[in-house]
Amino acid sequence: MIGHDVFLPTPLPVLCVGITVMLAATAWRRSVNRSFLTGMVTLLLALVFAGRHTGTALDNGDSLFIQDQWANYTAILIMFSSMCILLMSWRDDAHDRTTSLVDEYPLLCMLGTLGALTMVFSANYMPFFLGLEILGVSLMGLVTFRHRPVMPGYEAAMKYLILSGVSSAILLFGVGLAYGVTGSLRFMPPVTIGDISPALPVSATIMILVGMFFKLSAVPFHMWLLDVMEGAPVPVAAFLAVVSKIAIFSSLVRYFGTGNQPPFLNDILYVVIILTIMGGNLLALRQTSLTRLLACSSIAHVGYLLIAFLCPGRLQSGAITIYLLAYTASTLGVFATIAAFATPDGPDGTVIAQWKGLFFTRPFLASALSLMLLSLAGIPPGIGFFAKFEIAATGVEYQRNLLLGALIIGSIIGLYYYLNIIRVMMSAPSLPSASLNRHVRPELMALVIVLTIIVVIGGLFPARALHPLLPVSAIPSDTEAEMTMR
Amino acid sequence: MGEILLPLLILSPLAASLILFVTAGRMSAYAVGTVACVSMGISAVISVVLSVLLLSGPATGIVQATLWPWMHIAGFSADIAFMLDRISMVMILVVTIVGLLIHIYAANYMRDDPGIARFFGCMTLFVASMLVLVLASDLLCLFIGWEGVGLCSYLLIGFWYDNPVNTAAARKAFYMTRMGDAALLCGMLLLATAVGSLDIGAVLAAVTNGQVTSSAVNMAAFFILIGALAKSAQIPFQTWLPDAMAGPTPTSALIHAATMVTAGVYLIARLHDLFDLATPVMALTAVLGALTILMGACTALVQSDLKRVLAWSTISQLGYMFLALGCGVWQAALFHLMTHAFFKALLFLTAGAVIVRTHHEQDIFRLGGLRHTMPGLTAAFVIGASALAGLPLVTAGFYSKEMILSGVWPAHFRLTHELILSGHFLWGMALLGAFLTALYIFRCVFIVFFGKSGTTMRGQTSRFMTIPLGCLCVLSLCGGIIEMPTTFPPLHLFSALLDPAASHSHADEPGWLILAGAIVPLAGLGVAWVLWGRPSPVMREIPGQAAVIRFARTGEGIDMLYDRLFVQPFRFLTWLTRHDILDYVITGTGRLARTASTSVLRARTDFLGTLALWGTSGIRGADRLLGQIQNGRVRWYAAWIAGGLCAALAMAVLS
Amino acid sequence: MHALALLAASVTVIGAIMVITRKVAVHAVLYLVVTLLALAALLVMLGASFAAMLEIIIYAGAIMVLFVFVIMMLNLGQPDSAREKEWLRPRAWLGPGILAAISCAELLYFISPFSASLHSLAPITAHDVGLSLFGRYVLMVELASFLLLAGLVAAFHIGRNRVEDP
Amino acid sequence: MPVFSFNDTLLLATILFSVGLAGVLIRRNMLFMLMSLDIMLNATALVFVGAGARWHDAAGQVMFLLILALAAVETAVGLAIILCLHARGRPTLDADTGNLLQG
Amino acid sequence: MNPLPALVLLPVLGGGLAWLAERIRPHTGAPSRNASWWMMLATLIVETLLLAMVTFNHPTIRTGPWLEHFSMPWIPTMGIAVRLDMDGLSLSLIWLSLILCFLCACLATRQVTVKAGTFHLLFLTTLTGIVGTFLATDLFLFFFFWELMLVPMFVLIAVWGHEDRQRAALKFFMFTQGSGLLMLLSILGLVITHDRETGVLTFDYFTLAQTHLSPTLSMLLMLGFFIAFAVKLPLVPVHVWLPDAHTQAPTAASVLLAGILLKTGGYGMIRFNIMLFPDAAMYFAPVAMGLGVVGVLYGAWLSCAQNDLKRLIAYSSISHMGFVVLGIFTGSRMGMQGAIIQMLAHGLSAGALFLIAGAIQDRLHTRDMHRIGGLWTAMPRLSATGLFFAVASLGMPGLGNFAGEFLVLLATWHVSPVIATLTTVGLVLAAIYALRMVNRVFLAAPKEDQRPLEDLPVRQMAVFACAMIFLVVLGLHPQPFMTFSAPSPLPVMATNSEGDHAP
C-alpha cells in the first residue's frame, strides 16, 4: 500500500498534487491565470523539494524510483525550464482572442513535466515507459495550441502521434525482449543469463536505443522534430527542445551508464553521432524559419552531447552537466527572445527575415539573442563556449578523432547559421516600426534578463556551475559493476 | 671638430627640407629659395672646411663620426656612422658645390611655381640623402641614402603630377632603380652573412684578408654591380634616365650632375678593393660600360629633344666611368665624375635657361639661331659642349677622358686561362665613343645656336641664374688641370689626393694614345660642322629611314622591348589575377556545402524511392517517383525510423 | 506446439495482414477484431486469462467501437475505397513492405537461436495480477491515471470546436 | 493447459510487429495507420505476457495493462486528430497530402 | 596590487561607461556621442598611465625575463587559472595597441554617428580581448581571449561597415573561429598528454612547456596552433578573409584589424609555436618559410592589381605579414627580432594608411582609385601623410618597416639565400603597389568634378606626426625596441634545440 516505506522522490507527488489541485480548480471555475499561477507555485514547491524523497530505497536496487545527484540535477533543469516555459506562454494564451479559455495549456504543461520527471527518477522500465508516454501525449495536446493558422498544429500533432507511436512500439518491443531475457524490469541493459543466446539482449538493447534516439531526434530518426517544432507554438517548441530532450538524455545516461559501452553499441553510436552532427548542421543551413533552425541546431547539440556520453573519463561528468546547462539556458533564452518579440497580431518571430534590423529597433533583445546564439555556437563569453570546450576535452582525452573532426566541422557550419541570424538582425531594418512589439511583457523581459545573466555568469565563472554537480556518474553502482563485468 | 661637422653637413639640408615640408604653402617663394640656398651654402662651407681638415691631416687620415648603434644583434651589427675619407671628400665637394649652384639657379627658375616649397623640400632632401650615401661608413647606412635618392628622384621627376606622363616616368625611374636596389640588398645580405657587419672598412678588410670565399666575393660584387648599374642607368637599365627628363630642369641637372646617377660609380669606387678580387665582374663592368658609351652616344645622335640629348649623353659619359671602374682605374672614374658634374650641370642649366626663354620649346629643330638673341647662354653651352666633347687642353673633360683612356689601354682581364680580354679593344670603343660624343653634342650646338632663328624669345636670363652658370663655366674649363697625363707636365694632384701612396708610372703608355684622344674629338667637331654647321647643312632634318639611324635608335628600342617584354605582361597578369583565386576556391567550397545540405534534405525522400526503383520496376524513371514523393510525409519519416532500426540491427549482426 | 495454438497464431497473423491490406475501413476494423480475439485466445494459452479478458473487453470491445464510431462520423464513401485501391498498388507498398520484411528478418535472426526454455508456464491468475498491481506497482496505476488524464485533456482540447480565425 | 513456449511467442510477436510496421509504412490512410499501430502495440503486449509467463511474474501482465492504456489513449487522441482534420476541410484521410510542414 | 588584471579589464569597463555615457546624456540635450568619446579617451589615458607605470617600474628590463605575474584560480577542477604574465614582447605589443587606439580615437571614431556609445563599447572590448591575448599564459585563458576579441570585431564590421559588410564580417568570423577550433584541439591534446604523463591537469603555459612529446604528436599539435595563427596573421592560402574584412570594416575597425589583430597571430607563433614546440617548429620551418615567401609575393602581386584603396592596403598587409612568418621561422633570434620590429612598424604604417583611406572615404565617399585623384592640390597635408606612410610600407630604409625587413632577410639569408632573394622581389613589387597608390590617389591630375575638400586639421596632423616620428625612430634607432621587446625565454628550456638556434 502507499505507505511511508515506498521510495518516491518528493517532486513527483508534489506535481501530482498540483495537477489535481489545478484540475479541481478548473472544475470549480475556469480561470487561466489561476491555472498558470497554480502551475508556477507547484513547480516552485517541487523545486524546493527537489532533493528529497519519501521512504527508503530498496537495497537490492529493485525500487521503482531512484534519486541521486544526476537525477536531481536534471530534474532541477527540467523544472526550471518548465517554469520558464510557463512564464513564456502565460499571457500569450490568456489574451488569445480566438479562444476564451485555454486552461488546458498549463495543465498539459504540468503533465508533461510530470512525465519528464518520472523518466528522470525512474529505475524501472515501467515508470520510465509511463513517463515517456505521459510526456508524449501531453506534447500531442500542446502542439495543437497554435493560434493561427491552426492546421499546422494538427498536422504536427498527427505526425508526432504516429511517429512516436511507432517508436514507442519499437522501444516497448525492446523492453519486452529485455524482460523476456532477464525476467526483471530494472532499468538497465539486459545481460545474458543462462542458456539464452547473447543475440537477444543485443537486439533488445538496440531497439531500446532506437526508441530513445527517436525521442532524442538523433539523425536517422530526427525528421519529426523539424515539422513538429515548426507546427507548435513557440513555448511548446521550447518544451520539445529542452524538457523532453533533457529527460530522455537523462534516462539514456542512466540506462547505459557512463562507462565504456559494449562494442556493438560503440559502433552504432559512432555512426549516429557523426550523422547527427553533420545532418543537423547541414539541415540548418537552408532553414528560413527560426524554430526549424533551432530544431536542427538542437539535433546537432544532441550529437555533441552524445560525444561526451561516448567518452568516459575524468572529464565526462563535468562536460555533460555543463553542456546540459548551457544548452538549456541558451535555447530557452532564444525562445524567450522570440516570444518577447512576437506580437498577437504581428509577426510571430519565427521567420528569420522578420528579425531584420532588430539590432537598431530593439537593441537589448537583439543583443540578448545574439549572446544566446553565440553561446549556442560556442563562443565566449557565453556559457556554451566552456561547454563545448569541455566536450572537446572529453573527446581529446579519449582520442575520438573522427568525432572531434565532426565536432569541428559541425561547429563551423553551425557558426555560419547562427551568425547568419545575427547578421540579419544587423542589417538595415525593413519592417515599419509600428508593427514591432512595443510593449514587451515585463515578466518576459525579466526572464530574458535572468537567462542572459545565467549565460554570461556561467560563461565567465563556469567553475561555480561545474562544481556542485560533479558526481554525475551516479548510476546505481551495481549496474556499473555489471557493466564492467561484461 | 670633424665629428660634429660631419653630421651637421647632412643635417643642414635635412633641416631645410623638414622646415620646407612642415611650412608647406605658408612661406613666400623667395623665403623658400632663401632657406634652401642658405642650407646648401652652409653645407658647402662645411664641406670645404672638412676637406681642409682632412687634407691637413695625415694622408690616410679620416674623419669619423659614429652617432648611435643601429642594430646590434647576435651575428650582425650596424651603426649609424659617418666617415670622411679622400674619396668621399671629392664627392661631398662635388655634391655640395654643384648642388649649391643648382639651388641658386633653381630658386629663380622655379620662382613662379605654386609647388615651390615641395620642390625645394625634395631638392634639399635629395642632397641630404646623397650626402648620407656618400658619407656613410656602413653599407646599410649607405642604403638609406641610396634609397633616399631614389625616392627623391621619384618625387622630383613626377613633380608636375598633372601630366600622367610625368608620373609614369617617375615611377619608371623608381621601379628600375628599385630592382637594382633589391639586388644591392642581396649583395649586402651576402656580405653581412659572410662578414657579420656591413661596416665598409670591416667588409673590405675581411675580403682582402681572404675571409670570404671567392665565389661569395664574385656574387656580392655581381649583385652590387647590378645595383650600381640600375642607379647609374647603364645597360640594361638605361631606359629610365631619358624619361626622367620629365621633371623640372634643375632636377635633371641635380640628378645627372651631382647626385643619383653618380651613386653607382661612387659605390663601386668605394668598394674597389672588393671588385679587384672579382675579375669576371670587373670585366663585365668594363664591357657594359663600353657598350653603354656607344649605345648612349648613338641614341643621343638621333634625338630631337634637347634635354633628351643631354640625358643620353649622361648615360654615355657614365659608361666611361664604368669602363674606368671595370679597368680598375677608379681614380679616373672619380675624376671624370667630377668634371662631368661640372659640365653636365652647366649644360643642363643652360638648356633650362634656353627652354624657359623659348616658351618651353625643347625640340632642337624648332629652335635655331639663338646665338644672336642670347649670346651669353650660347657661350656657356658651347663651353659645356666642348668640355663634354673633351676638346683638347682647354677643357676639363679632355683631361678626365684622357685619364680614363690611358687607364683602359693597359688593362686586361684573365677570365679563364685561355680567354683574356684585352683593354685595347675597349680603348677602341671608348675612342669611337669620344668621336660620337663630339659629333652629337656639336650637332646640338649647331642646330640650336646657329642657323636661322626659329622661335620667339622672351625676357632675360636673370642674374641669379647667370651667376651659377658663370661659375660652372669656369669649373668646366679649368676643373681638369689638376690632373694631367704623364706626357704633359706631371701634375697628378687628383690621384695624389685620392691615393697618395700609389706610384704613377704610366711609362708603358705610348704617346700616340694622347694624340688620338686629342684628335678624335676635334674630328667629331669637324664632321658635325660639315653635317649641320654650315649655312646649308648637309642634314637638316632627321632622315628617319636611314638604316644607320634606326640602328642608332637602339636606346629607345630597348625601352620598347622592355615595355613589351616585362611591363605589358606584368600589367596583363596582374589584371588577370586581380581577383584572389583562393577566394574563389573558398567560395566554391561554401557553395558545395550548401548543395550538400540540399541533397541531405532530398535524401529523405530519395531513399525509399531508389529502393523501390531497384526492387520493383527498374523501368520507370526515378523522376516520376520523385515527383510523387514529397517532403513532410509521415510515412517516409516512419520509413526512416524503420530503416534506421534495420541498419542498427544489421550493424549488430555484422559486428 | 499445440494445434490450437498454431491455429490461433495463424489467425492472428492472417488477420493482421488482412487489416493492413483492406480497402474499406470497416472491413479492416472487423479483421482487427478477429485478430484481437485470436490474440486473446493465445493469451489464454499463455496462462494469462486476466489479460485475455481485458483484451477482449477493452480492446476488441471499447477501442474498436471508437474506430467504428469515427468511421461512421467521417462517412467515407465510394470514392474513398476507390482511392484506397489506387493506393494499394504494388508500387506503393513494395518498398515499405521490403523494409518491414528486412526488419522482421533481422529480428527473427536474433530470436531464432533462442532455445526454448523449459520453465513450466504456470498460469498467472487475476489474483496475482491484482496483488502486484495494487501492491508493488500501485504508483504505476497512479501514473497510468495521469497518462489517461493527459490523453483525455489532449483529446478534449483537440476535439473542441475552436473558432477558426479568418 | 497447453504450453505455448516463449520462443513461439516471440516468433509470433515479431511477425505481428513487422506486419504492423509494414502497415504504418504502406498505408496512407490515417485510420489504417492507427490500426497498424494497434497491431504493433498488441505484438509488444504479447511479448510481455509471454515473458511474464516465462518468469512466472505478474509484472508482465501489469505491463500489458499499461500498454492497453497507452493504446487506448493513443487511439483516442489519434481519432480526435483525424476528426478534427476532417472537420477542418481536409478532404481525405491521406496522411501524405496537404503538407504544411516540410522542407 | 598587480596591474595586469587591471590592464585587461580596464578597457571593457571603460567601454561600459562610454556606453552608459551615451545612454544618459540625451535627456539634457547635449551631444551625447561626445560624452562617450571622452569616456573612451579617458579610459585609454588611464590604461596608458597604467602601462607606463608597468614599463617604468622595471628600468632594468633585461634582468628578469618576465616583468609581471598574476595568478588566480578560475576553474580549479580543470586546472584552469587566470594566469597573466608580461614580458617585453607583450609589453611592446600592448604599447602598439594603445598607440593605435589613440590614433583611432583621435582620427576615426568621432566620425561614428550611429550608436556611438555601442561602437566605443565594442571597440574597447576588442581591445580587452587583444590585451588579454597578449598577456594570458594559461592556454585556456588565451583561447578565451582569442575567441572573445572576434565577437565585437564581428559586430563592428557587420554594423558600421561599408556596403558589403555582412558577408565580410561573416567570412572573417568563420575563418578565424574555425581555425581557432583546431587550436583548441591542440591545446587540449597538449593538456591531456601532460595529464597522462604527470597526472596533473593544468593549462599553465610554463608547466606544459616541459611536456615530453613524441615528434609526431608534437608536430600535430604544433600544426593545430600554426593553422590558427596562420589564419589570423594571415598566411597565404588562408588569407581570403582579410581583404574583405579590411575593406568593409569601418575605419577604426580596419586600423584595429590591421594594426593589432593580425599581430596576435605573429605573437602566437612566437609564443606558442616556437617556444612550446621548438623541435617541431624547426622541422616545419622550411614549409612555413615557403609559405611566408609565397605570402610576400602573392600579397604584393595582388596588391598591385587592386583598384580599391583599402583592398590594396589589405593585400599589402598580407605581404608584410609574410615577412613576419619568415622571420619567426628562421629559428634565429635575429629573425624573430626582425619579425617583431616588422610587426610594430607594420602596425603603425598600415594603421595610418587605413586611417587615411578612411579620411578619403569620408570626404569622397568612394574607395575606387579610378575615381579619386589629385588630392595633393586639395589636401596637401593628408596627401603628404599618405605619401609618407606609403613610402614606409614600401620599405624605405630609415623607417621602421625596413629595419624589420632587413633583419628578417638577413636571418633568412643565413638559412637559405634562395628564399631571401625571392623575397627581395617582394620589395620591388612593394614599390609598384605603393607608388601606384600614390600616383593614383595623391600625386595625380585632379578629377574634374571635385568639390573643395577639407584638409586634415592641424590637431589630427599632430597625431599623425607622432606616428611618423615613431616610425622614424623605429627605423633609425630600433635597438632599444629590440632589446626591450625580446620575448622572454621559458624559464626551463627543453634544453636541446633552442640553444643552438638562438644564441
Side-chain angles (χ1 to χ4, degrees), chain E residues 433-449:
Chain E
Y433 66 70
L435 293 189
R436 187 164 167 272
M437 176 175 79
V438 168
N439 273 147
R440 275 274 159 77
V441 177
F442 305 122
L443 291 173
K447 292 277 179 280
E448 301 296 322
D449 53 344

Side-chain angles (χ1 to χ4, degrees), chain E residues 101-147:
Chain E
C101 282
F102 270 113
L103 280 183
C104 289
C106 295
L107 300 170
T109 64
R110 264 203 142 151
Q111 277 81 0
V112 175
T113 49
V114 188
K115 291 187 170 294
T118 319
F119 185 91
H120 289 136
L121 169 62
L122 292 169
F123 189 85
L124 287 171
T125 314
T126 316
L127 182 63
T128 289
I130 290 165
V131 173
T133 309
F134 286 145
L135 288 180
T137 47
D138 183 281
L139 292 192
F140 178 80
L141 190 68
F142 175 78
F143 185 66
F144 182 84
F145 282 125
W146 178 267
E147 302 274 292

Side-chain angles (χ1 to χ4, degrees), chain A residues 133 155 159 179-181 196 292, chain D residues 54-55 57 60 98 100-101 103:
Chain A
E133 289 312 323
E155 195 184 306
K159 283 179 178 171
Y179 178 52
V181 171
I196 299 172
R292 281 187 92 86
Chain D
R54 180 189 171 204
W55 297 102
D57 185 8
L100 299 166
L101 305 167

Side-chain angles (χ1 to χ4, degrees), chain B residues 294-504:
Chain B
L294 291 181
M295 197 266 311
C298 289
T299 314
L301 197 53
V302 294
Q303 295 299 319
S304 59
D305 185 316
L306 182 55
K307 284 175 77 176
R308 273 180 181 271
V309 173
L310 296 179
W312 283 107
S313 93
T314 306
I315 294 174
S316 172
Q317 294 300 305
L318 286 166
Y320 277 108
M321 299 178 212
F322 271 82
L323 180 60
L325 291 170
C327 296
V329 279
W330 51 273
Q331 298 94 338
L334 277 182
F335 186 38
H336 193 61
L337 187 155
M338 188 181 81
T339 55
H340 174 255
F342 297 147
F343 62 70
K344 191 46 68 71
L346 175 62
L347 282 173
F348 264 112
L349 296 186
T350 317
V354 168
I355 287 165
V356 164
R357 283 181 63 185
T358 53
H359 304 281
H360 291 276
E361 182 57 68
Q362 299 193 15
D363 191 337
I364 51 173
F365 295 111
R366 301 228 193 117
L367 300 167
L370 296 185
R371 76 192 147 102
H372 306 296
T373 45
M374 36 185 109
L377 289 179
T378 309
F381 198 88
V382 169
I383 288 170
S386 312
L388 175 61
L391 295 188
L393 298 178
V394 291
T395 60
F398 170 70
Y399 298 105
S400 55
K401 196 175 286 176
E402 214 39 62
M403 193 173 168
I404 291 174
L405 287 175
S406 63
V408 168
W409 177 259
H412 65 281
F413 305 96
R414 186 179 291 275
L415 295 173
T416 58
H417 285 297
E418 295 83 35
L419 184 64
I420 295 174
L421 181 65
S422 166
H424 301 351
F425 177 62
L426 296 172
W427 182 84
M429 289 170 81
L431 206 61
L432 181 58
F435 171 74
L436 289 171
T437 306
L439 188 63
Y440 70 72
I441 194 62
F442 280 103
R443 163 175 172 263
C444 256
V445 170
F446 289 131
I447 290 175
V448 173
F449 293 97
F450 294 84
K452 289 198 289 285
S453 70
T455 48
T456 54
M457 308 298 141
R458 64 158 192 201
Q460 193 67 35
T461 308
S462 77
R463 199 152 34 97
F464 282 108
M465 283 161 84
T466 48
I467 290 171
L469 290 182
C471 296
L472 287 170
C473 282
V474 173
L475 286 172
S476 308
L477 289 177
C478 314
I481 53 169
I482 52 169
E483 172 87 19
M484 294 208 176
T486 23
T487 34
F488 285 44
L491 193 61
H492 294 301
L493 279 180
F494 191 78
S495 335
L497 185 76
L498 282 177
D499 206 355
S503 61
H504 300 281

Side-chain angles (χ1 to χ4, degrees), chain D residues 2-48:
Chain D
V3 173
F4 193 73
S5 78
F6 182 51
N7 207 0
D8 302 334
T9 318
L10 278 187
L11 269 177
L12 175 62
T14 308
I15 293 168
L16 213 53
F17 184 83
S18 304
V19 170
L21 187 61
V24 175
L25 296 187
I26 291 169
R27 300 306 300 252
R28 299 168 72 170
N29 190 322
M30 280 181 278
L31 269 175
F32 283 88
M33 282 179 155
L34 277 181
M35 284 190 242
S36 308
L37 264 183
D38 279 335
I39 293 174
M40 287 171 84
L41 285 174
N42 268 303
T44 54
L46 184 61
V47 174
F48 274 105

Side-chain angles (χ1 to χ4, degrees), chain C residues 29-98:
Chain C
V29 172
L30 289 177
Y31 274 113
L32 188 52
V33 171
V34 169
T35 310
L36 293 173
L37 288 177
L39 203 59
L42 275 173
L43 291 179
V44 170
M45 283 174 226
L46 278 168
S49 46
F50 178 62
M53 288 308 113
L54 285 180
E55 175 92 358
I56 292 170
I57 295 168
I58 297 179
Y59 227 122
I63 298 179
M64 285 305 115
V65 167
L66 261 181
F67 272 103
V68 175
F69 182 64
V70 168
I71 290 167
M72 278 168 58
M73 276 185 76
L74 293 179
N75 194 18
L76 300 171
Q78 204 62 29
D80 288 282
S81 61
R83 194 166 48 230
E84 297 284 347
K85 191 176 173 187
E86 172 68 21
W87 290 344
L88 284 180
R89 291 263 176 81
R91 193 185 67 209
W93 60 256
L94 210 66
I98 287 172

